[in-house]
Amino acid sequence: MSDFSEEVTKPISEDDQVETSVLTGTGMYFPWLQKHLETVVIWRLGSEILFYHPKSNVETFSTFADRMKNIGVLNYLKISLQHALYLLHHGLLEDANRNLSQAETWRYGEKSSSQEILINLVQAYKGLLQYYTWSKKKTELSKLDEDDYAYSTATQNMLSESWKTSVNICALIKTPGVWDPFVKSYVEMLEFCGDQDEAQKILTNYAYDEKFPSNPNAHIYLHNFLKREKAPRAKLLNVLKILYQIVPSHKLMLEFHMLLKKSEKEEHRKLGLEVLFGVLDFAGCTKNITAWKYLAKYLRQLLMENHLVWVQEE
């Protein structure tokens, strides 16, 4: 091992431990608070250094992470999660899963709401690892003959595994936040199990619940699901209309235009023109040949229908 790694992984001696404290505005000293603050700073700074240092390695990072977990119990879950993500980055899925399993059962003091969210996050990442394995099996399943006995057996195993994985992810995605990879994975497994109703419920809640932050992807996922389910045009229009208000330059706006163009409502057909101009107003879309072709064709149609005013307004 290099001198750098030996320095990081050597045991802490009594001489290295210096008792410090924080002086509050009232003049009171809290040694434990200073220790807590220093742990946070040391962990974040240290992990960044070890992530990018040319002489660092997985063993060094893991030793440092374990030491930080033991020193700063209040940040045990956060450190464990970051440690697991580091292991994932290096392709060590089994080590990451083992790390998350240890964190999942960890408790310190009374269970707080913030601690509960972190535990849910740890469980969800564990579920995401399980989904990765499940997804590979799904790919293998698609290569089998549906009439084959092996196909039936593999399907039953995947149904059982998807249920176990869903349990780990379910709690997190009910908490307000941006959980795109978890939601996508959960919905894919629900669809595989044939529970389209629950999948739609999850996606609708993710897109429309006001407690969740505004997230274009939530509306994209819902649209794609509804399209797979061959939902009525009105439902697709409603979803894309909200996406248009958030990201008017999104590639789905061309599909939105086509749906509006086919509508019998005049307000929809007028909006269809507005959508095209909105797309082409963005610098990144000015060379979108498809959008220009749609505009040229639609302009001819509208002018033939005596909608010159709509064109002039745009």
Side-chain angles (χ1 to χ4, degrees), residues 164-270:
K164 293 176 184 177
T165 303
S166 298
V167 170
N168 280 328
I169 297 176
C170 187
L172 178 70
I173 62 177
K174 291 179 180 178
T175 307
V178 178
W179 312 120
D180 291 355
F182 305 102
V183 170
K184 284 184 66 178
S185 304
Y186 186 49
V187 167
E188 184 181 340
M189 287 185 286
L190 286 173
E191 288 187 81
F192 181 83
C193 296
D195 197 348
Q196 271 69 19
D197 290 342
E198 181 64 18
Q200 184 170 340
K201 180 181 175 182
I202 291 293
L203 290 171
T204 301
N205 182 68
Y206 192 51
Y208 294 131
D209 192 327
E210 293 181 354
K211 295 191 291 291
F212 283 75
S214 177
N215 179 8
N217 287 340
H219 302 281
I220 295 168
Y221 300 155
L222 180 57
H223 163 269
N224 292 343
F225 171 83
L226 292 173
K227 194 173 179 181
R228 287 195 299 272
E229 291 297 303
K230 296 180 171 49
R233 185 192 303 169
K235 282 191 175 183
L236 295 174
L237 280 172
N238 288 336
V239 176
L240 291 175
K241 188 173 183 179
I242 297 176
L243 181 62
Y244 171 62
Q245 294 167 355
I246 303 173
V247 191
S249 61
H250 194 275
K251 62 182 181 181
L252 281 175
M253 291 305 102
L254 294 182
E255 182 178 328
F256 185 37
H257 159 76
M258 295 301 291
L259 289 172
L260 291 166
K261 179 182 176 181
K262 294 174 183 176
S263 175
E264 295 179 358
K265 294 182 179 180
E266 197 167 82
E267 61 184 275
H268 281 173
R269 297 178 65 244
K270 183 179 181 182

Side-chain angles (χ1 to χ4, degrees), residues 48-161:
E48 284 294 308
I49 292 172
L50 289 175
F51 188 85
Y52 292 105
H53 199 287
K55 292 185 179 181
S56 179
N57 53 44
V58 173
E59 182 184 353
T60 304
F61 190 96
S62 296
T63 302
F64 173 73
D66 290 337
R67 181 175 293 182
M68 288 293 100
K69 292 174 197 175
N70 293 328
I71 293 175
V73 290
L74 294 176
N75 293 293
Y76 183 95
L77 290 172
K78 291 181 181 178
I79 296 171
S80 295
L81 186 56
Q82 183 106 18
H83 186 193
L85 293 176
Y86 176 87
L87 293 170
L88 282 175
H89 178 75
H90 285 79
L92 301 172
L93 273 64
E94 290 185 7
D95 291 341
N97 188 59
R98 187 162 47 250
N99 192 284
L100 291 169
S101 296
Q102 291 172 352
E104 183 183 15
T105 57
W106 180 87
R107 297 292 185 274
Y108 179 79
E110 294 185 10
K111 190 176 181 181
S112 63
S113 58
S114 59
Q115 189 181 109
E116 185 174 0
I117 293 173
L118 281 171
I119 291 172
N120 289 342
L121 191 59
V122 166
Q123 291 173 334
Y125 268 104
K126 185 179 177 183
L128 207 59
L129 275 174
Q130 293 168 333
Y131 163 79
Y132 175 74
T133 303
W134 180 89
S135 182
K136 288 199 297 183
K137 290 182 179 179
K138 184 183 176 185
T139 302
E140 294 170 2
L141 185 66
S142 65
K143 299 175 183 177
L144 297 176
D145 187 344
E146 292 188 17
D147 296 326
D148 194 341
Y149 175 76
Y151 181 90
S152 177
T153 304
T155 301
Q156 289 301 318
N157 290 336
M158 286 190 65
L159 287 171
S160 176
E161 288 182 21

